[in-house]
């Protein structure tokens, strides 16, 4: 899934990204594959919607981008630079090479395997150094709005201190400059400078989310990760926050990853939509195309659950139940992402791909 055909500037890309959480050891070892081989690109100036049911890996994907979750394998590039690379495959190959070295008989074979081991160790060391170093000047261009507007704000800090924290971390020491920028951000998100002296508990949920947005914007980022920013808010407030983000996108030339499970909101707000299921990206297309021509059975299931304010439609609406084990047979061939139409990608094996194409 590259952007060579459309000549759009890629601001962030995930390449076979994996985030696995492990606990226990030996026979009791448990591996949760929260994100398992996800590939997509986000283009400059767009809003990319990432949708799926709870627990599918949406939030973990966003947190991996901003390095709150470490990448197990794969690679993430931001503004043309690699910011994190996983090492699981390298360690696995190193283990295999060491076993091969024990079984090797000829001198030439042993030397070749030793060279292979040395190269793998060098690559692992390179990735470890890359992952240990955080380029603050680069990463300040990526900020995150968190899902819970209560838990994400320190209750012991005033609003001014919360919003200004990023500036202070980046080295700004002039109090007048900090106050000016904080007051400006408060106005931008629909609050007033007087609110800066209050504490988070004195605000409503919608106001707290505005404070979170101001905190993210004060460093003038190029890329914003909005992790379900409206899910904890009343419906009437949700529209206000969506409209605010839309305005900020235009005013500040922002690129936004919008994580959500409400498809009706995502359709209104996003340029392209990626659908996640069980740690995998299963379908990716432009917003109108995805809603008009869903291909993957899981996408069809999600869309069938979207209610509409039309009693006649609701009376006829039939839910499509998705059961991955019954729907797919991947015993012979594992699925991959394929471009089934220009800009429209779906996760399928060869047999499924032929069937999907015949249904177009």
């Amino acid at each position: 899934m590259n952007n060579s055909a459309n000549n759009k500037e890629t601001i962030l890309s995930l390449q076979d990204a994996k985030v696995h959480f492990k606990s226990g050891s030996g026979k009791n070892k448990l591996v949760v594959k929260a994100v398992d081989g996800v590939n997509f690109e986000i283009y400059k100036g767009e809003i990319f919607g990432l949708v799926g049911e709870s627990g599918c890996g949406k939030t973990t994907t966003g947190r991996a981008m901003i390095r709150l979750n470490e990448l197990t394998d794969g690679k993430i590039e931001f503004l043309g630079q690699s910011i994190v690379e996983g090492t699981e495959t390298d360690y696995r190959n190193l283990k295999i090479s060491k076993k091969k070295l024990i079984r090797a008989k000829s001198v030439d074979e042993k030397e070749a395997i030793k060279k292979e081991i040395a190269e793998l160790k060098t690559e692992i060391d390179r990735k470890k150094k890359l992952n240990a170093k955080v380029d603050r000047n680069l990463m300040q261009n990526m900020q995150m709005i968190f899902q819970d507007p209560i838990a994400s704000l320190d209750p012991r800090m005033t609003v001014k201190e919360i919003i200004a924290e990023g500036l202070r971390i980046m080295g700004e020491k002039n109090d007048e400059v900090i106050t000016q920028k904080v007051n400006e951000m408060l106005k931008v998100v629909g609050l007033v400078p007087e609110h800066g002296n209050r504490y988070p508990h004195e605000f409503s949920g919608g106001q707290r989310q505005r404070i979170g947005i101001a905190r993210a914007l004060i460093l003038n980022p190029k890329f914003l990760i909005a992790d379900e920013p409206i899910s904890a808010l009343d419906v009437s407030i949700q529209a206000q926050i969506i409209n605010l983000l839309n305005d900020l996108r235009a005013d500040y030339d922002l690129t936004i990853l919008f994580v959500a499970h409400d498809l009706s909101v995502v359709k209104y707000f996003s340029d392209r939509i990626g659908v996640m299921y069980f740690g995998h990206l299963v379908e990716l297309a432009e917003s109108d195309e995805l809603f008009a021509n869903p291909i993957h059975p899981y996408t069809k299931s999600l869309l069938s659950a979207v209610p509409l304010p039309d009693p006649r439609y609701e009376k006829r609406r039939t839910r499509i139940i998705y059961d991955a084990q019954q729907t797919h047979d991947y015993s012979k061939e594992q699925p991959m992402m394929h471009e089934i139409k220009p800009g429209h990608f779906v996760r399928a094996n060869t047999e499924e791909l032929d069937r999907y194409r015949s249904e177009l």
Side-chain angles (χ1 to χ4, degrees), residues 4-115:
S4 57
N6 50 35
N7 295 320
K8 293 181 180 177
E9 181 184 345
T10 298
I11 198 167
L12 183 138
S13 71
L14 275 73
Q15 302 167 24
D16 198 29
K18 298 178 182 179
V19 181
H20 297 173
F21 298 104
K22 302 174 184 178
S23 65
S25 60
K27 293 181 179 179
N28 296 321
K29 187 175 182 179
L30 177 66
V31 179
V32 177
K33 298 180 179 180
V35 180
D36 195 32
V38 169
N39 294 273
F40 64 80
E41 296 167 339
I42 298 176
Y43 304 137
K44 186 179 183 339
E46 78 170 342
I47 297 177
F48 185 97
L50 195 60
V51 301
E53 62 193 50
S54 297
C56 72
K58 308 183 302 294
T59 295
T60 304
T61 301
R63 290 173 67 90
M65 292 176 183
I66 205 163
R67 309 261 329 250
L68 290 176
N69 289 134
E70 283 302 315
L71 212 61
T72 304
D73 213 347
K75 181 179 181 180
I76 298 177
E77 288 186 351
F78 178 54
L79 296 177
Q81 295 185 43
S82 179
I83 57 173
V84 60
E85 296 182 26
T87 57
E88 184 179 66
T89 298
D90 297 306
Y91 273 116
R92 190 187 308 120
N93 291 337
L94 182 62
K95 191 175 180 180
I96 293 169
S97 295
K98 286 180 177 179
K99 288 181 179 179
K100 283 163 58 179
L101 182 62
I102 295 171
R103 295 193 300 266
K105 295 178 180 179
S106 69
V107 175
D108 290 343
E109 188 181 359
K110 287 183 178 180
E111 288 302 317
I113 296 172
K114 284 180 180 178
K115 184 180 178 182

Side-chain angles (χ1 to χ4, degrees), residues 160 163-164 167-168 172-188 191-194 196 214 218 252:
K160 179 183 175 182
I163 297 173
L167 288 175
R168 295 190 187 279
E172 182 60 65
K173 296 179 181 179
N174 190 317
D175 286 336
E176 289 184 7
V177 172
I178 290 172
T179 300
Q180 178 188 347
K181 288 188 175 182
V182 169
N183 290 344
E184 182 184 331
M185 277 299 116
L186 285 170
K187 291 177 183 176
V188 164
L191 299 174
V192 295
E194 288 73 21
I218 199 162
Y252 288 84

